[in-house]
Amino acid sequence: MAYQKRPASSYQPCDTFFVESYDDFPAPRLEPKEHARLIARERQYAIADELSKITSEEFRDDILAHMLDMDTATLPDVESIDIQTEIQWFMRPYLLDFLIEAHTAFQLLSSTLFLTINLLDRYCSKRVVYKRHYQLVGCAALLIAAKYGDKKDRVPTIKELKSMCCSLYDDDMFIQMEWHVLQTLGWTIGHPTVDNFLQMAVMDCPYDAEVEHLSLYIAEISLFHREFVSKPSSDLARASLALARCILNRTQPRHTEWASQYDSMTLVGLSQQLHQPSQVLSRKYSSAHYSRVSKILEQFLARQASVASYTPPSPPSDVVPAESKPYEGEIGLATPQKAPQSSTMAHGYITPPITPENEVFANGGNPTFAKGVAGTSACSPSPTPSPSVPYTGAPSYAQEATYQQQYLQPQMSFSTGY
């Protein structure tokens, strides 16, 4: 640093000026060998990137075919979950909210969340799960998924999971449940998740953060609903991507691309579940990190509702309307109207479900998802804690409110920042 005075001939109102001088601190110079080594390393990186790109294009079809085979082989069976004697569908949104908060707190990969839910559903498809163990199975699935795909320093510890559950379970119970989940699934953990197929679908497209984030948001909304539990991840990825592009008014892919081959029924089903997303999920995607796509979706739905409720004014008419007469078959007097028909649409599940007080969510309220099945299950139950655990003698729950208060209330004390 140096201060230099201007000559008298170039006098300005400010008689000094600030300059930076490196005379006293010369820039470091690399040795010729070190300089050549850096140049060679950069060339190697460039060559590796080019070869990786060429190889990925050459084997892309084989990779996609293998992912589709794995997707089909590792799907959960929703009908097997239906016959669970204690687990009911209204419990699912509460557990998913807990897992989403834990996933966000540990800053895990997006694929970890989808893999966690897949492991949870696959386990519930093969084992009888007690109510008091439902959250424990979810924590074990999160632990396995994080170990499978995330960095080692991001993987939650048993102590942290125990703290999230407010010491409801012992350390040994987490380890025992983790081992039991792996044994039940035959140590087959790998599953191509929705975000993996999304990356394949947008590989040749320019990066669009809003489209990708909104697609993930729609895909995570689908995790809360029974109708998408056994849906292949490839179908969910293509349908959510097409729906996100439609909402954001982006161009759809060409008909020759794989992303354009989405299932229209899956897209319609996803569009019907966008109106009442989970508050935890909506808060997660309202951050700038996810392009605030939950706010964008809310504004889009508000515009659609305003357009649907708009009634155009009737044009003025000078003709005095004649007295209306019932239609008796005369031509020109009236237009025959179709008789109104009652809707046969089945009751959907709200996301997240408000604690119900009626009988719709109770046993027998909806015969389609009734849990009471005569006879005993051939599946072996999940590991039962030792008699020393204080909650083993807990009574069975007949209503959702009791379940939320006694078993899911501790998770409300775990707060995360977004």
Side-chain angles (χ1 to χ4, degrees):
M1 304 293 180
Y3 288 94
Q4 300 178 0
K5 282 194 174 184
R6 295 173 181 264
S9 59
S10 60
Y11 179 78
Q12 298 293 332
C14 181
D15 58 349
T16 61
F17 63 97
F18 184 77
V19 297
E20 293 183 355
S21 175
Y22 295 95
D23 297 337
D24 299 333
F25 305 97
R29 294 183 179 180
L30 299 175
E31 296 293 334
K33 292 184 178 180
E34 184 67 21
H35 183 67
R37 188 179 296 109
L38 291 177
I39 293 178
R41 187 179 303 170
E42 293 297 329
R43 289 177 178 175
Q44 290 177 357
Y45 289 155
I47 294 174
D49 291 340
E50 186 66 23
L51 290 176
S52 178
K53 182 179 180 180
I54 295 174
T55 304
S56 63
E57 293 177 354
E58 182 179 355
F59 294 100
R60 182 181 301 179
D61 295 338
D62 295 337
I63 294 173
L64 182 59
H66 178 66
M67 290 174 62
L68 293 174
D69 292 340
M70 288 184 61
D71 189 19
T72 305
T74 55
L75 281 179
D77 185 10
V78 67
E79 295 182 357
S80 298
I81 303 178
D82 285 338
I83 64 175
Q84 287 280 349
T85 56
E86 293 194 12
I87 300 302
Q88 299 194 26
W89 288 105
F90 72 78
M91 304 176 185
R92 183 181 180 86
Y94 296 102
L95 179 60
L96 262 60
D97 284 342
F98 170 79
L99 294 176
I100 289 173
E101 286 189 337
H103 173 270
T104 307
F106 290 111
Q107 299 180 357
L108 303 176
L109 298 175
S110 298
S111 58
T112 302
L113 178 62
F114 290 102
L115 182 58
T116 299
I117 308 305
N118 176 262
L119 295 174
L120 171 67
D121 292 336
R122 286 163 60 190
Y123 180 82
C124 293
S125 301
K126 297 183 178 182
R127 296 292 184 183
V128 177
V129 182
Y130 301 119
K131 293 178 182 179
R132 57 181 179 271
H133 293 162
Y134 198 30
Q135 190 177 19
L136 180 62
V137 176
C139 292
L142 178 64
L143 184 60
I144 296 171
K147 289 180 179 180
Y148 183 80
D150 268 281
K151 296 181 179 179
K152 187 176 181 180
D153 56 345
R154 298 285 180 87
V155 177
T157 62
I158 299 296
K159 183 178 179 180
E160 291 170 334
L161 293 176
K162 181 179 178 180
S163 177
M164 291 179 188
C165 300
C166 296
S167 301
L168 186 62
Y169 309 105
D170 295 334
D171 296 351
D172 295 340
M173 297 185 66
F174 288 97
I175 300 174
Q176 184 182 7
M177 182 58 72
E178 179 185 6
W179 176 86
H180 199 264
V181 171
L182 292 172
Q183 285 288 106
T184 301
L185 302 182
W187 298 84
T188 304
I189 306 173
H191 171 74
T193 56
V194 173
D195 64 308
N196 296 142
F197 284 106
L198 282 176
Q199 293 174 5
M200 296 288 294
V202 300
M203 186 175 295
D204 297 329
C205 302
Y207 177 69
D208 193 335
E210 289 186 349
V211 170
E212 295 189 17
H213 292 159
L214 184 56
S215 301
L216 284 175
Y217 181 41
I218 296 173
E220 291 190 25
I221 290 177
S222 68
L223 296 175
F224 287 79
H225 299 278
R226 177 191 176 276
E227 59 183 299
F228 303 111
V229 170
S230 295
K231 187 72 66 174
S233 299
S234 57
D235 292 347
L236 290 175
R238 287 179 290 187
S240 60
L241 180 60
L243 184 57
R245 284 172 170 168
C246 180
I247 292 174
L248 297 173
N249 198 20
R250 303 292 200 273
T251 56
Q252 295 291 342
R254 297 187 298 271
H255 295 286
T256 57
E257 297 182 11
W258 176 78
S260 64
Q261 303 171 8
Y262 57 86
D263 183 18
S264 59
M265 296 302 298
T266 304
L267 187 144
V268 172
L270 289 173
S271 64
Q272 294 175 350
Q273 306 297 342
L274 302 180
H275 300 278
Q276 292 181 327
S278 166
Q279 295 181 1
V280 173
L281 194 60
S282 178
R283 185 171 67 250
K284 170 185 174 181
Y285 280 91
S286 64
S287 62
H289 179 71
Y290 291 103
S291 306
R292 308 184 190 278
V293 292
S294 62
K295 301 296 182 182
I296 297 177
L297 181 59
E298 290 178 5
Q299 296 172 2
F300 172 80
L301 295 176
R303 291 195 302 268
Q304 293 295 108
S306 62
V307 171
S309 61
Y310 174 73
T311 303
S314 302
S317 176
D318 298 335
V319 180
V320 179
E323 183 180 357
S324 60
K325 298 181 180 180
Y327 176 70
E328 298 178 354
E330 297 87 347
I331 299 179
L333 293 181
T335 302
Q337 301 294 330
K338 194 174 183 180
Q341 298 179 357
S342 59
S343 176
T344 59
M345 183 69 66
H347 293 287
Y349 285 94
I350 309 174
T351 307
I354 304 173
T355 305
E357 299 296 339
N358 52 23
E359 297 180 355
V360 177
F361 291 86
N363 290 339
N366 193 339
T368 306
F369 308 120
K371 304 297 178 183
V373 180
T376 59
S377 176
C379 300
S380 59
S382 56
T384 306
S386 59
S388 60
V389 182
Y391 59 81
T392 52
S396 59
Y397 295 88
Q399 296 182 356
E400 175 186 0
T402 310
Y403 171 81
Q404 176 190 5
Q405 179 179 2
Q406 185 158 353
Y407 289 107
L408 293 180
Q409 191 65 26
Q411 75 187 47
M412 301 304 176
S413 61
F414 172 68
S415 60
T416 60
Y418 294 91

